[in-house]
């Protein structure tokens, strides 16, 4: 099952164009509609607006050349206020949001835009950190799996869309306790569900600090993209036990996506 409408957030930073090209590849492979979206903050510098508009121009031209059904939308105001409403108005079921260079997901005592959007966007949300501008087409995707995957169906859907869109190989990775090699049941369930979609899947495990183990696996096996699940840890739990996803997203060894499925409606 592919996405019907994918919304890609564009800003003045070049990294947002890489994130948008991920969205474009998924739209092309799945026959999805694409929305290129920019929210200019109140009082934005003219040069920032020009850069954003130029990025939108180039992406729109490329999408049309690929025969993607694409819409371009620009608004003025805070993205934390506008994006949730715009995603709902456009019927987006997947939103790509690129972290700005100064933005840190998982910062314990800071209120970042990404934190607000994780709570308010009603679609699947892919928060992306761009490290390599020249690698918009990942060939090896690393997917760390914890003990229980509460969003298994949605994460399989997203990973499968990425793998098919880029013809990528997927590696499922589990960080085990030293001396213990037992893999969680959800690891095998996700592996089997991906293989049922005719995707090549490798299995790997490692030990040690979670964030370091993920980074080491990504570097040592030349992965181009890491797909993480959004943490469910609250502020106090992050203070005492840390936030591995936040650690990886702050300084990943390659491009990284924090995936959060659409909240279930009551």
């Amino acid at each position: 099952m592919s996405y019907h409408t994918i919304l890609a957030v564009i800003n003045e930073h070049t990294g947002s164009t890489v994130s948008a090209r991920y969205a474009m590849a998924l739209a092309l492979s799945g026959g999805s509609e694409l929305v290129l979206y920019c929210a200019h903050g109140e009082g934005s510098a003219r040069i920032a607006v020009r850069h954003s508009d130029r990025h939108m121009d180039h992406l729109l031209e490329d999408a049309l050349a690929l025969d993607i059904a694409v819409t371009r939308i620009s608004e003025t105001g805070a993205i934390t206020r506008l994006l949730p409403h715009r995603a709902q108005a456009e019927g987006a079921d997947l939103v790509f949001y690129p972290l700005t260079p100064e933005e840190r997901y998982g910062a314990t005592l800071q209120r970042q835009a990404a934190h607000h959007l994780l709570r308010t966007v009603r679609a699947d949300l892919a928060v992306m950190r761009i490290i390599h501008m020249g690698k918009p087409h990942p060939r090896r995707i690393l997917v760390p799996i914890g003990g229980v995957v509460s969003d298994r169906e949605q994460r399989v859907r997203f990973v499968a869309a990425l793998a098919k869109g880029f013809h990528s190989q997927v590696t499922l990775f589990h960080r085990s306790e030293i001396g213990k090699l037992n893999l969680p049941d959800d690891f095998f369930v996700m592996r089997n569900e991906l293989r049922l979609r005719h995707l090549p899947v490798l299995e790997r495990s490692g030990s040690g600090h979670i964030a370091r183990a993920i980074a080491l696996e990504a570097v040592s096996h030349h992965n181009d993209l890491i797909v993480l699940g959004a943490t469910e840890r609250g502020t106090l739990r992050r203070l005492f036990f840390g936030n591995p996803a936040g650690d990886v997203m702050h300084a990943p060894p390659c491009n990284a996506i924090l995936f959060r499925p659409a909240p279930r409606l009551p």
Side-chain angles (χ1 to χ4, degrees), residues 90-240:
E90 299 303 319
D93 44 2
L94 174 63
V95 173
F96 273 85
Y97 173 78
L99 290 170
T100 61
E102 66 275 6
E103 192 173 5
R104 177 173 180 177
Y105 163 75
T108 305
L109 299 177
Q110 297 181 26
R111 296 180 62 84
Q112 306 282 351
H115 296 159
H116 182 85
L117 296 173
L118 283 163
R119 295 192 302 271
T120 57
V121 172
R122 305 301 297 179
D124 284 0
L125 180 61
V127 176
M128 191 162 189
R129 172 74 74 190
I130 306 298
I131 298 298
H132 297 298
M133 302 293 178
K135 291 187 176 181
H137 305 290
R139 293 291 178 253
R140 295 181 178 88
I141 301 174
L142 180 65
V143 184
I145 303 296
V148 178
V149 182
S150 59
D151 59 347
R152 188 176 64 220
E153 181 179 342
Q154 297 98 319
R155 205 183 309 185
V156 165
R157 177 193 187 192
F158 179 67
V159 171
L162 283 171
K164 289 182 178 180
F166 292 110
H167 305 287
S168 307
Q169 178 177 276
V170 175
T171 299
L172 297 183
F173 176 77
H174 178 68
R175 197 276 303 184
S176 304
E177 298 293 336
I178 296 176
K180 297 181 180 180
L181 297 177
N182 292 334
L183 296 173
D185 291 341
D186 279 350
F187 184 98
F188 297 108
V189 173
M190 284 195 64
R191 179 200 64 185
N192 294 339
E193 289 182 358
L194 288 168
R195 287 179 175 173
L196 283 173
R197 289 166 169 79
H198 307 290
L199 295 171
V201 181
L202 297 180
E203 304 169 33
R204 297 278 303 168
S205 61
S207 59
H209 184 273
I210 299 175
R212 286 197 293 270
I214 293 171
L216 178 61
E217 178 67 23
V219 171
S220 60
H221 289 85
H222 309 289
N223 287 279
D224 308 302
L225 176 66
I226 301 171
V227 178
L228 298 156
T231 181
E232 296 180 359
R233 295 180 177 183
T235 301
L236 284 177
R237 188 169 175 80
R238 292 200 303 269
L239 280 170
F240 286 101

Side-chain angles (χ1 to χ4, degrees), residues 234-260:
T235 301
L236 284 177
R237 188 169 175 80
R238 292 200 303 269
L239 280 170
F240 286 101
F241 299 102
N243 181 0
D247 293 340
V248 175
M249 289 296 293
H250 177 55
C254 59
N255 293 342
I257 291 176
L258 181 83
F259 175 76
R260 189 231 59 193

Side-chain angles (χ1 to χ4, degrees), residues 6-11 13-28 33-38 52 54-60 62-63 66 68 70-71 94-99 126-130 133 135-137 162 166 255 257:
I6 301 173
L7 186 150
V9 174
I10 316 298
N11 56 40
H13 300 287
T14 305
S16 69
T17 65
V18 179
S19 174
R21 292 192 183 282
Y22 276 67
M24 194 180 298
L26 265 60
L28 180 62
E33 296 181 7
L34 178 66
V35 178
L36 301 175
Y37 177 75
C38 180
S52 300
R54 189 178 302 121
H55 293 159
M56 294 275 275
D57 290 341
H58 292 162
L59 291 164
L60 179 65
D62 291 346
L66 293 170
I68 296 173
V70 59
T71 303
L94 174 63
V95 173
F96 273 85
Y97 173 78
L99 290 170
V127 176
M128 191 162 189
R129 172 74 74 190
I130 306 298
M133 302 293 178
K135 291 187 176 181
H137 305 290
L162 283 171
F166 292 110
N255 293 342
I257 291 176

